[in-house]
Amino acid sequence: MITLVLARARNGVIGRDGGLPWHLPADLKRFKALTMGKPMIMGRKTFDSFPAPLPGRRHIVLTRDRAWSAPGAEVAHDVAGALALAGEGPVAVIGGAEIFDLFRDIADRVELTEVNIDADGDVVVAPFSDWREVERQDHPASDDRPSYSFVTLER
């Protein structure tokens, strides 16, 4: 089972300057729950956005740079290599946009946090219009945080 895990603004933005354009503690908690104990496939920029490798998860970094390495990262250079490293069982694909594009057609599920803003950002992911929504939890805006929804999509 390959699951794409991401938060996306209404206008498709998922990132800005190597980070998230919003701060939603509930989304970070959900991300942790969805990825804990699983191999995570990501691009180098996503890996570099973490202050350190996240505990309890394997970090498989998909990069074109054959010389790149980092402590805590398992390196792959193509989708097949990343999946071979991940092995049997569920896999979480966590970004960025190029990595989501590579896995979109072979993924089984999307765990999406829809952030109800048009965010300023420099990384965009297309909508998942050809997927079927199977679950939704809506959360209202509070304090300085926008409203958002946790959405599960399947083929």
Side-chain angles (χ1 to χ4, degrees), residues 80-101:
L83 291 173
L85 282 173
E88 295 296 319
V91 177
V93 176
I94 64 166
E98 289 181 51
I99 304 303
F100 290 131
D101 285 345

Side-chain angles (χ1 to χ4, degrees), residues 90-147:
V91 177
V93 176
I94 64 166
E98 289 181 51
I99 304 303
F100 290 131
D101 285 345
L102 289 172
F103 284 87
R104 184 183 284 252
D105 292 340
I106 61 170
D108 303 292
R109 173 178 285 184
V110 178
E111 292 291 354
L112 176 65
T113 300
E114 291 180 341
V115 184
N116 295 313
I117 58 171
D118 289 322
D120 290 328
D122 52 17
V123 184
V124 175
V125 167
F128 294 93
S129 52
D130 54 338
W131 291 72
R132 179 174 50 92
E133 183 177 313
V134 296
E135 187 176 339
R136 173 179 291 267
Q137 298 172 3
D138 296 323
H139 300 273
S142 65
D143 302 322
D144 59 344
R145 296 186 179 107
S147 64

Side-chain angles (χ1 to χ4, degrees), residues 14-122:
I14 66 166
R16 178 177 60 219
D17 300 327
L20 297 173
W22 47 75
H23 180 67
L24 294 172
D27 176 53
L28 299 175
K29 184 177 178 181
R30 181 174 188 250
F31 175 85
K32 182 178 181 179
L34 290 168
T35 60
M36 186 57 71
K38 296 182 180 82
M40 300 184 306
I41 298 175
M42 68 200 80
R44 181 197 46 79
K45 290 177 190 173
T46 297
F47 181 83
D48 288 344
S49 73
F50 300 138
L54 303 176
R57 292 153 272 197
R58 291 174 51 214
H59 296 66
I60 299 170
V61 179
L62 189 50
T63 177
R64 290 182 286 264
D65 184 348
R66 300 236 170 228
W68 185 87
S69 68
E74 300 173 53
V75 180
H77 302 292
D78 56 35
V79 169
L83 291 173
L85 282 173
E88 295 296 319
V91 177
V93 176
I94 64 166
E98 289 181 51
I99 304 303
F100 290 131
D101 285 345
L102 289 172
F103 284 87
R104 184 183 284 252
D105 292 340
I106 61 170
D108 303 292
R109 173 178 285 184
V110 178
E111 292 291 354
L112 176 65
T113 300
E114 291 180 341
V115 184
N116 295 313
I117 58 171
D118 289 322
D120 290 328
D122 52 17

